[in-house]
């Protein structure tokens, strides 16, 4: 990545790792498929009032390794690292513009057999970057996308199409995004501003440090799409603010633009005895009713439609296409949180057992005897999967369609800084607390290796999460965020093969679940691992790869001890939790603050 990206990724006092934790530690057998990463580098020609503008876009996204007909295919968050000529862009923007931010939309062509549909992946947001400088300017757009469902088995291919960009002066709030939408994923702002920056933050969108989007990766390309129809304006300037530039970008011919292909198998359907049996298999049908969002048979190119109208979802806005026989594809509906504010900041203190050792010579704020920092409330949504090794399956956690819980955060607890006299890399740490109490979840597992058992599970926080953010990318250091704490796990409403099983009022793990979630930001430094980044402001992937579920105790009634049953079925090592956090909302920050028009609801991960 170019220098502009590295500089924009300076360390920020981050504000949340989410514990969107275990609400499914005893998961149903819904598979959380592996992903296949890669990157796709495409050339585009964009129309503007002053003539064509040449850009390059490196697209990054993850796709599940396999899917099942009738169940949503959930692509990961999309990142588009767009490279523009500084001089050409400066000529399009108002005189005096010093930094640029933006929003974008990618049209994705979805195809299965003879069926094709276009998915409108709006809500991509890019943080500010300085307009001055040498070389090309890189803006990193990122955002969640909604799922696609197909009704038949067969390979489903996702191909990149047209790209729409809306660019404006950073900090103005004018780059609101193409086709203003109620579900737009807004640009998040930083958390508490009291921490002195560890490095320059040019191009800030607000007086607080600028957030940095999360890059992802995609599978290699294999097909070439046909450019879409005529350009259309994507947004209008904000009243009283600087003008925006709207670019409709069409791929240059002769490029292979496949983002990913997902093989889809037939769904299993219950047989007469209630056990699963394979349904019909084979290629996608060539006849029958079409889905409402599918186009007709593909003839070598998937058409693009017009930009989304106001009020449409920024996460997904299906194109209004004329259905034709043979359609099997349904583009997922909007994913809205409907929330634009945060509850009060969590209460509590840092757990000293969870804090790293303070380096010798470092400054710790607040100083001994000084008043504590004022709390700065912030919040976000996150969804994910719990994977239990003994069960070989995964369960969706904090389902966005069923009243998901919100993470409350206050990162304004402690700051640790060490500056060196010789200019060598120092040390920066920001500490805070978080709180999340998930709603009860239903879990399914097998007892005795074959008996289907369902149970309601409740996770209760024992203490606030201790959150730490350590590192500075300006010093060629990864920025590592951790969230750690303890939760009680209890089971109730247990049924074995549909028959109630009395486990008593105190069926729980014998010890609290010890959880540590980790997120990493390393794009643009020498140790970049090529995986999607996590930043507190813009979200991204958080995981706990070595989770241990303690043995159960207190399960049973009438003198019958059922604890060994649950211990044998679930407890032990080899488990993981994997989440995607959405953009952070910080109500006390200047706009854009990640709260309006609503707090982002992310798509689930694939691990």
């Amino acid at each position: 990545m170019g220098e502009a990206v590295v500089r924009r990724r300076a360390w920020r006092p981050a504000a949340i790792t989410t514990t969107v934790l275990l609400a499914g530690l005893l998961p149903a057998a819904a598979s959380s498929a592996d992903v296949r990463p890669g990157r796709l580098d495409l050339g585009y020609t964009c129309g503007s009032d002053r003539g064509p503008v040449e850009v390059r876009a490196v697209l990054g996204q993850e796709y599940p390794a396999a899917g099942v007909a009738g169940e949503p295919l959930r692509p990961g968050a999309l990142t588009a690292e767009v490279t523009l000529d500084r001089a050409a862009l400066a000529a399009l923007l108002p005189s005096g513009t010093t930094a640029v931010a933006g929003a974008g939309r990618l049209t994705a062509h979805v195809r299965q057999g003879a069926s094709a549909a276009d998915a409108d992946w709006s809500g991509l947001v890019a943080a500010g970057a300085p307009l001055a400088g040498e070389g090309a300017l890189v803006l990193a757009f990122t955002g969640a996308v909604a799922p696609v469902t197909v009704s038949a088995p067969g390979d489903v291919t996702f191909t990149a199409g047209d790209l729409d960009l809306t660019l404006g002066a950073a900090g103005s709030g004018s780059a609101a995004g193409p086709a203003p939408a109620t579900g737009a994923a807004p640009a998040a702002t930083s958390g508490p501003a009291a921490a002195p920056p560890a490095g320059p933050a040019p191009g800030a969108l607000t007086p607080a440090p600028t957030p940095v989007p999360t890059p992802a990766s995609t599978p290699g390309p294999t097909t070439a799409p046909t450019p879409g129809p005529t350009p259309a304006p994507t947004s209008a300037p904000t009243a009283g603010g600087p003008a925006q530039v709207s670019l409709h970008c069409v791929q240059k011919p002769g490029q292979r633009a496949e983002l990913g292909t997902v093989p889809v198998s037939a769904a299993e359907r219950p047989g007469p005895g209630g056990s699963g049996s394979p349904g019909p298999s084979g290629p996608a049908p060539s006849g029958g009713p079409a889905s409402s969002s599918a186009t007709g048979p593909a003839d070598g190119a998937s058409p693009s439609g017009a930009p989304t109208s106001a009020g449409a979802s920024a996460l997904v806005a299906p194109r209004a296409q004329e259905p034709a026989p043979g359609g099997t594809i349904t583009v997922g509906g909007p994913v809205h949180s409907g929330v634009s504010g945060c509850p009060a900041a969590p209460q509590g203190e840092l757990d000293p057992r969870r804090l790293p050792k303070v380096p010798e010579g470092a400054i710790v704020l607040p100083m001994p005897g000084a008043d504590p920092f004022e709390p700065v409330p912030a919040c976000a949504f996150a969804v994910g999967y719990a994977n239990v090794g003994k069960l070989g399956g995964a369960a969706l956690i904090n389902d966005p369609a069923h009243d998901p819980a919100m993470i409350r955060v206050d990162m304004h607890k402690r700051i640790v800084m060490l500056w060196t006299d010789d200019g060598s890399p120092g040390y920066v740490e920001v500490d805070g607390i978080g709180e999340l109490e998930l709603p009860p979840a239903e879990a399914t597992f097998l007892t005795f290796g074959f008996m289907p058992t369902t149970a309601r599970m409740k996770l209760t926080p024992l203490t606030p999460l201790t959150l730490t953010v350590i590192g500075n990318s300006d010093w060629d250091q990864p920025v590592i965020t951790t969230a750690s704490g303890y939760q009680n796990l209890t089971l109730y409403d247990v049924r074995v093969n549909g028959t109630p099983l009395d486990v008593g009022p105190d069926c729980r793990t014998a010890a609290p679940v010890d959880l540590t979630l980790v997120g990493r930001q390393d794009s643009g430094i020498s140790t970049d691992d090529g995986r999607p980044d996590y930043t507190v402001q813009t979200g991204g992937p958080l995981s706990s790869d070595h989770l241990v579920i303690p043995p159960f105790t207190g399960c049973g009634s009438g003198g019958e001890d059922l604890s060994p049953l649950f211990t044998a079925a679930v407890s032990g090592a080899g488990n993981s939790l994997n989440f995607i956090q959405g953009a952070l909302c910080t109500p006390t920050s200047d706009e854009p603050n990640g709260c309006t028009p609503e707090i982002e609801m992310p798509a689930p991960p694939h691990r």
Side-chain angles (χ1 to χ4, degrees), residues 185 255 278 317 349 388:
Q255 300 180 100
E349 298 301 326
V388 176

Side-chain angles (χ1 to χ4, degrees), residues 268-508:
E268 292 187 355
R269 56 187 181 188
S275 60
S277 59
S281 60
S286 59
S291 71
S292 60
S293 60
T295 65
D299 58 0
S302 298
S304 299
T308 316
S309 61
S313 165
L315 297 181
V316 157
R319 305 286 188 170
Q321 302 287 349
E322 185 68 25
T328 62
I329 303 168
T330 301
V331 177
V335 180
H336 293 296
S337 73
V339 178
S340 58
C342 291
Q347 301 296 310
E349 298 301 326
L350 299 168
D351 184 346
R353 298 169 297 178
R354 303 285 188 171
L355 297 174
K357 183 179 179 180
V358 175
E360 184 177 354
I363 299 172
V364 180
L365 301 175
M367 301 287 284
D371 291 336
F373 292 137
E374 288 293 324
V376 177
C379 61
F381 287 100
V383 296
Y385 284 98
N387 299 272
V388 176
K390 288 184 178 180
L391 305 180
L396 183 63
I397 299 173
N398 215 26
D399 188 345
H402 295 89
D403 194 21
M406 181 180 285
I407 310 146
R408 298 189 296 139
V409 172
D410 176 16
M411 285 301 295
H412 221 196
K413 285 292 186 179
R414 190 181 80 152
I415 301 168
V416 182
M417 299 177 294
L418 176 63
W419 268 228
T420 59
D421 295 333
D422 61 2
S424 60
Y427 180 87
V428 180
E429 174 188 337
V430 173
D431 303 321
I433 59 172
E435 186 174 293
L436 173 66
E437 184 164 355
L438 293 162
E442 183 169 288
T444 301
F445 51 96
L446 298 179
T447 52
F448 304 112
F450 65 90
M451 190 71 71
T453 301
T454 61
R456 301 285 288 175
M457 183 190 68
K458 175 67 176 174
L459 283 161
T460 305
L462 297 179
T463 61
L465 296 167
T466 292
L467 312 177
T468 66
V469 182
I470 301 173
N472 182 353
S473 60
D474 277 354
W475 295 335
D476 199 38
Q477 298 171 346
V479 180
I480 306 298
T481 304
T482 63
S484 53
Y486 297 97
Q487 300 255 332
N488 267 344
L489 190 160
T490 58
L491 297 178
Y492 63 98
D493 193 16
V494 178
R495 296 175 179 267
V496 179
N497 207 22
T499 301
L501 177 65
D502 187 0
V503 297
D506 194 29
C507 182
R508 56 184 171 79

Side-chain angles (χ1 to χ4, degrees), residues 472-550:
N472 182 353
S473 60
D474 277 354
W475 295 335
D476 199 38
Q477 298 171 346
V479 180
I480 306 298
T481 304
T482 63
S484 53
Y486 297 97
Q487 300 255 332
N488 267 344
L489 190 160
T490 58
L491 297 178
Y492 63 98
D493 193 16
V494 178
R495 296 175 179 267
V496 179
N497 207 22
T499 301
L501 177 65
D502 187 0
V503 297
D506 194 29
C507 182
R508 56 184 171 79
T509 50
V513 176
D514 185 347
L515 175 71
T516 298
L517 292 168
V518 179
R520 177 181 171 98
Q521 172 194 355
D522 60 13
S523 179
I525 68 174
S526 61
T527 56
D528 187 343
D529 61 9
R531 299 183 63 84
D533 272 11
Y534 171 83
T535 68
V536 169
Q537 288 82 7
T538 56
L542 287 162
S543 62
S544 178
D545 294 332
H546 305 288
L547 186 70
V548 176
I549 303 174

Side-chain angles (χ1 to χ4, degrees), residues 104 120-124 144-145 178-185 308 311-317 334 336:
D120 191 332
W121 287 348
S122 305
L124 307 178
V145 303
T182 59
T308 316
S313 165
L315 297 181
V316 157
H336 293 296

